[in-house]
Amino acid sequence: MVRRCAGQMIICRSEKEIEKIRTSCRLVAKILKKMEKAVVVGGTTKELDEIAEASIREAGAKPAFKGYRGYPAALCASVNSQVIHGIPNSRRLNNGDLVSLDLGVLLDGYYGDAAVTAVAGNATVRAARLISVTRESLYLGIQQAVVGNRISDISCAIQEAVESQGYAVVRSYVGHGIGTNLHEDPQVPNYGTRGKGPRLKEGMVLAIEPMVNEGTHEVKVLADNWTAETLDGRLSAHWEHTIAITKNGADILSKLEGE
Ligand code: MF3
Ligand code: CO
């Protein structure tokens, strides 16, 4: 079913389609779990990318990001002040490095997308607090993803959760619809006032992904044309789930079976 909302083309997925998206998302969750454990002192993000790509192909899936607008890897690994779209490289991770891991797959025609943030070795108090507020803000946003609410009710809940803790939400990148394309309508900003944007309907599938900065919300893109970094060089964390809107509330698709 295809519906037009405020100029956007938002697709409502059938239960069967949602199960396919769930299968893709579970694969992402499973691999991210493996990645989190592989974020170690002395390891590299390039190694993480290799494990991610091998795991994806082993499952008969394709990396969703590799080749997307020329992105060169399966995984986005953004270290410390890098916000998102960090390209994996061979620099060794130091104790306390914060690493945002973002992964997408395509399986049987449907996409899954999720992100987590992990720390190599011992997390500093600063990093641990930033990560926990980022994750918490995502869950508060997801709670607003119910039939009858509007997109910006999700956005506003995330922004309030983040700013009440003294952090800032990135504005120049947003969450998105997902399904048979990696990025579909609607856009899901992580900031805004309540009651704006398309109304949420059963069957909509959204990737909600707050990027949270310690200092300014402003980011710059590096010369590699991908890596987004905080303008002030302070830390940034990212957490993402793909969810489906159901009549019983938000169904988190990108979690492990039984989680
Ligand atoms: N989760 C991110 C997004 O939805 C990652 C995309 S990486 C890209 O935008 F390479 F595919 F762009
Ligand atoms: Co995404």
Side-chain angles (χ1 to χ4, degrees):
M1 192 197 328
V2 174
R3 279 201 182 101
R4 260 182 204 286
C5 296
Q8 297 193 80
M9 184 72 95
I10 303 176
I11 302 167
C12 292
R13 303 284 172 186
S14 67
E15 276 176 39
K16 221 168 143 185
E17 287 183 288
I18 289 173
E19 288 319 307
K20 290 197 175 192
I21 301 171
R22 191 192 308 278
T23 303
S24 299
C25 286
R26 274 192 182 154
L27 176 61
V28 172
K30 197 173 115 191
I31 300 171
L32 281 178
K33 185 63 98 194
K34 202 193 290 189
M35 299 285 97
E36 275 185 273
K37 291 188 184 126
V39 173
V40 293
V41 175
T44 71
T45 53
K46 182 124 189 55
E47 288 160 4
L48 296 174
D49 180 58
E50 284 161 8
I51 307 170
E53 181 162 356
S55 309
I56 291 169
R57 299 209 187 270
E58 215 170 281
K62 279 194 197 144
F65 301 166
K66 199 169 191 174
Y68 182 88
R69 297 180 184 223
Y71 186 74
L75 180 73
C76 297
S78 310
V79 180
N80 294 332
S81 60
Q82 296 179 352
V83 178
I84 48 159
H85 299 164
I87 299 172
N89 62 36
S90 48
R91 187 184 75 79
R92 301 214 167 270
L93 294 170
N94 294 315
N95 188 37
D97 277 351
L98 172 161
V99 189
S100 298
L101 303 163
D102 189 351
L103 192 68
V105 304
L106 172 62
L107 180 60
D108 199 15
Y110 290 82
Y111 285 88
D113 186 8
V116 299
T117 300
V119 175
N122 309 102
T124 60
V125 173
R126 264 176 62 191
R129 188 171 161 266
L130 176 69
I131 291 169
S132 107
V133 169
T134 303
R135 183 168 185 273
E136 192 57 30
S137 76
L138 170 60
Y139 283 96
L140 289 167
I142 290 173
Q143 275 180 23
Q144 296 298 316
V146 296
V147 174
N149 265 1
R150 291 184 185 271
I151 285 290
S152 82
D153 295 322
I154 301 171
S155 316
C156 184
I158 293 171
Q159 184 177 19
E160 279 177 359
V162 168
E163 292 182 353
S164 70
Q165 297 302 313
Y167 296 134
V169 284
V170 171
R171 287 144 165 73
S172 44
Y173 296 90
V174 297
H176 50 94
I178 179 168
T180 46
N181 287 289
L182 176 60
H183 294 145
E184 298 182 355
D185 284 339
Q187 294 196 358
V188 187
N190 298 300
Y191 63 96
T193 52
R194 286 186 190 282
K196 304 258 160 46
R199 205 174 278 286
L200 301 178
K201 302 207 164 77
E202 193 180 340
M204 288 182 181
V205 179
L206 307 174
I208 307 176
E209 47 179 322
M211 288 142 271
V212 177
N213 293 356
E214 247 190 328
T216 177
H217 71 81
E218 286 181 282
V219 306
K220 61 170 184 228
V221 177
L222 301 188
D224 63 17
N225 277 322
W226 277 103
T227 314
E229 198 169 273
T230 57
L231 201 59
D232 57 11
R234 297 182 72 188
L235 293 179
S236 184
H238 182 203
W239 215 283
E240 174 177 22
H241 270 307
T242 296
I243 63 115
I245 314 268
T246 77
K247 46 180 175 298
N248 306 314
D251 183 358
I252 300 176
L253 305 178
S254 51
K255 61 183 188 188
L256 300 172
E257 200 168 349
E259 209 175 53

